[in-house]
Amino acid sequence: MDINDNIESPFTLKLSFNKLLEHYDVLSKSDDQFLAAKASRVLKTAEQFPILRAGFSDTQVLKDREKEIKILLQDAFSPILTKNEIKTVSLPFNNLVFNSSERFKSIVKTAGEDFVLEIKNMPGDDIYIIACTIILSACYDYDVSFKRPFHYEIPDAKGIMQYYKILYNGDFTEIIPSESAPKITLADVDELLDNFENIKIWKEKFPPNSYTFKGFVISNIFNITDDESISNIKSSLIGDEKRKDVGFMKNFQEIFQSLLGLKDIKVGFSIYNEQEGTFERVYGVGMNSFLLDDLNESKCMDVLCSLSYKTLIIDKKFYAVSDVDKYYKLSKGKSPQYKTLKGQDIKSAILAPIANDEGLMGVLEIVSHKPKVLNSINANKLVDIMPFIVSAVERSKKEEEHLIQSIIQTECTSIHPSVQWRFEKEARQFIKDQLNGIEPNFKKIAFENIYPLFGQIDIKGSSEARNIATKKDIAIQLKLIKKILLKANGIEKLHIYDQYLYQINQYLETLTSNFQVDSEQQISTFVKQDIEPLLDHFVNSEILKDDVSAYLARIDKKFEVLYDHRKQYDDTLTLINKEMASLLDKNQIEAQAMYPHYFERFKTDGVEHIMYIGESLTKADSYNPIYLYNLRLWQLQIMCVMENSYYLMQPQFPIKLDVASMILVFNHPFSISFRMDEKQFDVDGTYNARYEIVKKRVDKANIKGTNERITQKGKLSIIYSQKEDEIEYLKYIDFLQSKHMLDTDVEILELEDLQAVTGLKAIRVSVLYHKEKDDRTFYTYQDLMQEIKQ
């Protein structure tokens, strides 16, 4: 069989002892007669079979020349050390092994007849790339070393997996490029450095079999089972989904078996609840607690005797029981831990405290059905792995808290603190069902007899302002392109330039006379598909390079358009929303302190907010209608405060925009429920459609019999439908007039009918403003605008 069969590599492999024999060539001339004589004998053996120096790929030669190869390698495989050293001769990254030490042969033999020796952690494409990096280093002196640790996994006589690290000695190798091998340049190396994952490029630079690997490597192998076990324990404890994995505990126990060198052991956990003074079961697939046996939780003093309680919980030290039956008899069956362990036929155990500076978090339980195999001596092997378990439990406790929030976020949305308790209750049940293998189902969250309060401070004419900004930016961009094309046409007369100039003039005319919804997209497509390739041509051909560079400097890299006026608009909108939302949030703290209620706000072209209040939202039976009236008055006041705050800040904004405020009053209580599909609360039942229509459309409604919008800049509009609402809010307005927050020009207006909603009315009143924060003078909107202009 040829050693290159079924292998794709940049190398053609040839076993050769040439580099080794070159060492003996030197030694044969040594002044040390013993060394010289020995080297001469080795060289004489090799001279009889030139193929050993020339190289070969047929594995039959290994069998035919086995005796001679042993002579050549005798210095590398000392008879004195052969039963101690783990060593082989092989080809790199290849499972072909020959001339191994007696210790290695014994290890493989013990693994069993069915065992197949394979190098682990050796993905196919990575091996090809590793070979390429070796070529870069050996043939071109480019240091792009990509070394990865390789190892064997070999079970011992007990069936416990042992881990062996492989270190290669490559002193006896040669790498020879073929005549057809592409020459590698610095540019090639730069390309490869950015394309590790692209095996196609590596094969292009280093085609299969374009180099000859001639020689062999000596593999020095070391047992790293303890280190690997610790590493595997650490890896096993990383990851959010581990406890749900059916094979997690099985793999975890196998790792501990390797660490302790014991086949017959099992691993369990108990969580310590300091507040309750209890041990609790860890929920998860295959998770056991040998201290709790079949209990879900139990008082610590019912699980442990006084000595074990002090050792584990107070002193936070290992508690080892080498012979459960012995200590069960000594305690006359009264010590609870011995009684529980004996009931599970456990003969020896190690209980290890999982503790940090803040105290005990849980107990790691390692048990065996054989006596004395677990004891206070091998318990010390856990010292090195306990920090990782402690870290994992610390993280797990934090993740448990975050998991509740995460489930609420995933299944619901960002939930207001007033209703957090209800969602947490469902989230805990969700986790419990999920870990116990029950199909989790987040139940419907609903609250009855709830009063809504809706308000908004809306930017007037935002769509028109956006359109104006868009048209200005597009016009500037088209004119800059037109300037470049006119200049290009003067240098190089082409009909296509005339065509593009015609299109630009048409688009410029559209901006002033017939700007449609899709006009922006049409112009953007024209620039992208026709103009940008042309500008690239100008740059590459050095034509108008400076003009194009100046144009590109005006183009926003993120949006790939000229984005000056639109940026001013967007920045203004962002600032308005940020400041208004911040003000609302800050004042909400005061409102929540008066009585808990649900609050949510949304940033649109302005800021909307919705509040729900009612007894079912709180755990305590403390609700009274006075809290609803108080919240309505608070809402009126905060709308006035926001109006004032906005116009005090308006001069700082990039562009001038006006706002209008509105409050929607709904007199009847209704039920709300959380909609899982839309991640928000909605009104239940027959009121749903009516309320949603009014909330979404009323700010665009006109006063009945006119074309005048009910919402106007400088005025606060209160929308309602019941006479008692009118009476109530006129009292609030009278109070706020006394505080110089509202003017005296109160209007009672009827609104045009909305879809399926009739009979709406509005109270509209002007807001009074202050020119400066501490100004005691009160202005109407018109007065304020005049004052600001002065």
Side-chain angles (χ1 to χ4, degrees), residues 389-429:
I389 294 178
V390 169
S391 178
V393 173
E394 287 174 336
R395 182 168 54 86
S396 181
K397 289 184 70 174
K398 290 178 182 177
E399 286 173 353
E400 185 104 6
E401 298 169 3
H402 295 158
L403 185 56
I404 291 174
Q405 302 304 322
S406 175
I407 289 173
I408 293 174
Q409 293 283 348
T410 302
E411 296 294 323
C412 312
T413 185
S414 180
I415 298 302
H416 192 264
S418 63
V419 292
Q420 190 83 8
W421 63 273
R422 183 69 179 83
F423 286 85
E424 287 179 353
K425 181 179 177 181
E426 287 301 324
R428 287 192 179 94
Q429 186 61 45

Side-chain angles (χ1 to χ4, degrees), residues 676-694:
M676 297 297 180
D677 52 348
E678 296 186 7
K679 313 296 185 190
Q680 66 180 27
F681 278 105
D682 268 346
V683 178
D684 275 346
T686 56
Y687 287 116
N688 189 344
R690 176 183 171 87
Y691 183 71
E692 290 300 324
I693 288 171
V694 174

Side-chain angles (χ1 to χ4, degrees), residues 554-579:
R554 297 287 303 274
I555 301 302
D556 186 271
K557 290 180 174 59
K558 179 179 178 182
F559 297 101
E560 298 182 338
V561 294
L562 192 137
Y563 183 64
D564 292 346
H565 293 86
R566 277 172 287 192
K567 186 176 188 305
Q568 289 183 347
Y569 171 82
D570 289 341
D571 287 350
T572 300
L573 194 65
T574 300
L575 282 170
I576 293 171
N577 286 344
K578 179 182 177 182
E579 296 297 335

Side-chain angles (χ1 to χ4, degrees), residues 201 215 231 270 519 612 635 685 754:
I201 293 179
S231 177
S270 299
S519 296
Y612 296 117
Q635 186 185 34
L754 301 175

Side-chain angles (χ1 to χ4, degrees), residues 96-142:
L96 175 67
V97 169
F98 61 98
N99 212 84
S100 54
S101 67
E102 292 301 320
R103 173 83 182 278
F104 181 81
K105 290 176 184 177
S106 175
I107 290 170
V108 174
K109 183 179 179 180
T110 301
E113 294 181 1
D114 296 334
F115 176 74
V116 177
L117 185 69
E118 287 184 338
I119 299 175
K120 302 296 182 181
N121 192 31
M122 193 167 68
D125 284 355
D126 284 5
I127 292 303
Y128 197 105
I129 294 170
I130 291 173
C132 295
T133 62
I134 292 171
I135 294 170
L136 284 171
S137 177
C139 299
Y140 298 95
D141 291 324
Y142 289 126

Side-chain angles (χ1 to χ4, degrees), residues 20-31:
L20 176 65
L21 292 171
E22 286 180 352
H23 283 279
Y24 281 113
D25 287 335
V26 175
L27 289 174
S28 66
K29 300 170 184 175
S30 171
D31 293 333

Side-chain angles (χ1 to χ4, degrees), residues 320-342:
V321 186
S322 62
D323 192 332
V324 171
D325 290 343
K326 173 185 174 182
Y327 287 99
Y328 176 79
K329 290 177 181 178
L330 288 173
S331 69
K332 299 180 180 179
K334 293 181 180 180
S335 293
Q337 75 272 18
Y338 303 139
K339 183 178 179 181
T340 304
L341 295 174
K342 183 176 175 60

